[in-house]
Amino acid sequence: MKPTIVLEAHDLAIAAALIGLDGLISLVFGLGLHRQLAVAAIRMVLQLLLIGVILTRVFALASPPVTLLVVLVMVAIGGREVAVRPEQRIKLGSELAAIGREFGGVDLDLNRDETPAGVVSFD
């Protein structure tokens, strides 16, 4: 059995500092992502706290039917999130290249290969 990963206050402070740094970079470069980043970070913390509370209680019950019910609910919620995801998502690489060109960076002349990847064989 693997040991439990223990997160301490300094681990969480490092993560929060990195999110804060991302927000600062957004402000400095005028990317307009700082508000969206803050909302996403707050939402993430609340969701993880709620899931932690729920799973602690479910595992304390030690009831397979209750655990199965929670798993099914989580799968249904995950499936719904995938189903409502927008078709046209922003491609991060393309956006970063556009920002680089805007600030006088190198034009990489990106051409995406649209052919599907082949199946990997492990024979």
Side-chain angles (χ1 to χ4, degrees):
M1 187 168 160
K2 293 184 180 183
T4 303
I5 298 173
V6 178
L7 292 176
E8 297 185 12
H10 69 275
D11 297 319
L12 299 176
I14 291 170
L18 289 173
I19 292 174
L21 179 63
D22 288 340
L24 182 64
I25 290 171
S26 172
L27 282 171
V28 169
F29 288 108
L31 302 177
L33 300 173
H34 53 282
R35 189 168 286 121
Q36 187 178 9
L37 182 64
V39 169
I42 292 168
R43 181 179 173 199
M44 174 196 63
V45 168
L46 293 175
Q47 286 175 343
L48 289 175
L49 286 172
L50 181 62
I51 289 295
V53 168
I54 291 170
L55 290 180
T56 300
R57 291 188 179 173
V58 167
F59 293 147
L61 291 174
S63 169
V66 173
T67 304
L68 180 62
L69 177 65
V70 170
V71 167
L72 291 174
V73 168
M74 291 174 72
V75 168
I77 292 171
R80 182 207 166 270
E81 289 298 318
V82 170
V84 299
R85 182 177 295 162
E87 291 276 334
Q88 295 294 328
R89 295 187 317 194
I90 295 175
K91 305 274 195 271
L92 182 61
S94 299
E95 287 299 312
L96 290 175
I99 291 169
R101 283 192 298 274
E102 184 177 321
F103 287 100
V106 178
D107 184 9
L108 300 176
D109 190 28
L110 297 174
N111 293 321
R112 294 188 187 272
D113 183 8
E114 299 294 331
T115 58
V119 177
V120 178
S121 174
F122 294 102
D123 293 331

